[in-house]
Amino acid sequence: IDLDPHALFEVQVKRIHEYKRQILNVLHIIARYNAMLEHPEKDWQPRVFILAGKAASAYYAAKQTIHLINDVANVINNDTRLGGRLKVVFIPNYSVSLAQLIIPAADISEQISLASKEASGTGNMKFMLNGALTLGTLDGANVEIDELVGRENIYIFGKESDEIIKLYETAGYVSKDYYNKDGVKEVVDFIISEDLVKLGNKERLERLYNELLNKDWFMTLIDFEEYYAKKEEMLADYEDRDLWLRKVIANIAKAGFFSSDRTIAQYNEDIWHLN
């Protein structure tokens, strides 16, 4: 796959799991694709979306997510109307060796798990150290990064943990309520569109589509509108190179907090008491 090295590289590499919401990323990619086709006259910023990660061998839903990513990539990467300005890449057999290539190339680090579900996570720290700006929910180590760099140097969106926990406790989330909002239905329906079905597996795509509409246990749709809006804000900032680089430098400078030396010293002081 030929990529424009001057494109904006948006990267999500992590274990494939429903709570990490790779599907939310894919839905945004579909929305971007639809917008580019609807308004071909615009000067669209070239963007490359890279996803990678492994799934448990028996985790059926994760495998369906991988299939969906590749189906969407096949549609977008072969659509000549885009002029190469939008590319989607799923890199198989993710490993440390691949991470050494992918992470330094990233402009945006996607850390979009459903709030309250990510115990910690360290990938976002590696991206931060390499100059990628974090786009994420207040979940896992995103909370600490947010506190370190300041809200002006990170892109936070979505419902917070207490809201999500309450929705689980009260069964208050109904995915169809969000599906019927402006702009969401069109994007979700693309999963069972003729363009995608002819390249993928109809039964598999319909099952995934029905899961989103009737279950969506990890609330993919609840944050879609805010996620899309935050991406647009991020893109506008990226086009201001001085502003963007100031944010990058702030993130790199603050990444030292996550060093193993500081972490081990704190564990020793608070927990181990070895001295």
Side-chain angles (χ1 to χ4, degrees):
I1 301 171
D2 292 326
L3 304 178
D4 179 355
H6 301 293
L8 175 61
F9 279 66
E10 304 179 45
V11 180
Q12 186 180 18
V13 291
K14 52 182 70 262
R15 188 163 53 92
I16 309 296
H17 197 293
E18 288 165 285
Y19 85 80
K20 293 181 183 289
R21 301 198 295 186
Q22 282 88 357
I23 289 180
L24 178 58
N25 191 355
V26 174
L27 291 178
H28 168 266
I29 294 169
I30 292 169
R32 183 71 172 184
Y33 174 63
N34 288 340
M36 291 179 73
L37 293 184
E38 188 174 350
H39 297 285
E41 75 284 354
K42 286 189 177 181
D43 184 22
W44 296 98
Q45 165 69 44
R47 293 166 82 174
V48 175
F49 295 89
I50 294 176
L51 298 98
K54 293 185 176 180
S57 59
Y59 192 1
Y60 179 81
K63 292 183 176 183
Q64 300 315 298
T65 299
I66 295 170
H67 279 300
L68 176 65
I69 295 166
N70 281 290
D71 290 343
V72 171
N74 283 332
V75 170
I76 290 175
N77 295 344
N78 292 298
D79 194 329
T80 57
R81 293 173 295 179
L82 301 176
R85 292 171 295 175
L86 184 64
K87 293 290 180 76
V88 182
V89 184
F90 181 82
I91 301 177
N93 299 318
Y94 183 60
S95 63
V96 172
S97 296
L98 284 174
Q100 290 175 324
L101 299 173
I102 297 168
I103 292 174
D107 295 302
I108 294 175
S109 163
E110 297 262 358
Q111 308 293 333
I112 59 177
S113 57
L114 179 65
S116 79
K117 296 298 181 182
E118 189 79 71
S120 177
T122 58
N124 48 6
M125 304 171 194
K126 299 180 181 75
F127 280 102
M128 176 190 188
L129 179 61
N130 282 272
L133 299 188
T134 302
L135 170 67
T137 53
L138 281 175
D139 200 32
N142 290 349
V143 176
E144 291 174 283
I145 294 175
D146 179 48
E147 292 171 351
L148 281 169
V149 304
R151 187 59 59 90
E152 69 276 12
N153 292 314
I154 190 172
Y155 295 86
I156 297 295
F157 72 94
K159 299 286 187 293
E160 296 188 17
S161 296
D162 56 348
E163 298 175 88
I164 297 300
I165 292 168
K166 185 176 181 180
L167 286 170
Y168 275 118
E169 290 174 346
T170 60
Y173 172 71
V174 180
S175 59
K176 281 186 178 177
D177 291 346
Y178 294 88
Y179 165 79
N180 287 317
K181 290 187 176 183
D182 289 342
V184 180
K185 182 179 186 300
E186 178 186 7
V187 170
V188 175
D189 286 354
F190 188 86
I191 294 172
I192 54 170
S193 67
E194 183 179 346
D195 286 343
L196 210 58
V197 167
K198 69 183 179 185
L199 291 175
N201 178 286
K202 182 178 180 181
E203 181 181 349
R204 171 171 48 76
L205 291 168
E206 287 180 345
R207 185 181 294 115
L208 197 156
Y209 172 82
N210 288 326
E211 279 284 311
L212 277 177
L213 260 63
N214 300 307
K215 183 181 176 184
D216 194 19
W217 180 248
F218 293 100
M219 303 185 191
T220 305
L221 301 184
I222 198 169
D223 289 333
F224 177 79
E225 287 184 304
E226 196 173 338
Y227 176 57
Y228 188 91
K230 188 60 65 172
K231 282 251 194 177
E232 292 301 297
E233 176 189 331
M234 203 171 194
L235 183 61
D237 287 351
Y238 179 78
E239 292 176 351
D240 183 339
R241 299 307 297 157
D242 288 343
L243 173 66
W244 186 265
L245 291 175
R246 284 198 298 271
K247 293 173 182 283
V248 167
I249 291 167
N251 273 262
I252 295 172
K254 295 290 187 178
F257 175 81
F258 295 115
S259 73
S260 57
D261 287 349
R262 195 276 310 165
T263 306
I264 292 166
Q266 184 176 341
Y267 264 78
N268 185 40
E269 181 179 345
D270 296 345
I271 301 169
W272 301 331
H273 308 298
L274 297 177
N275 295 340

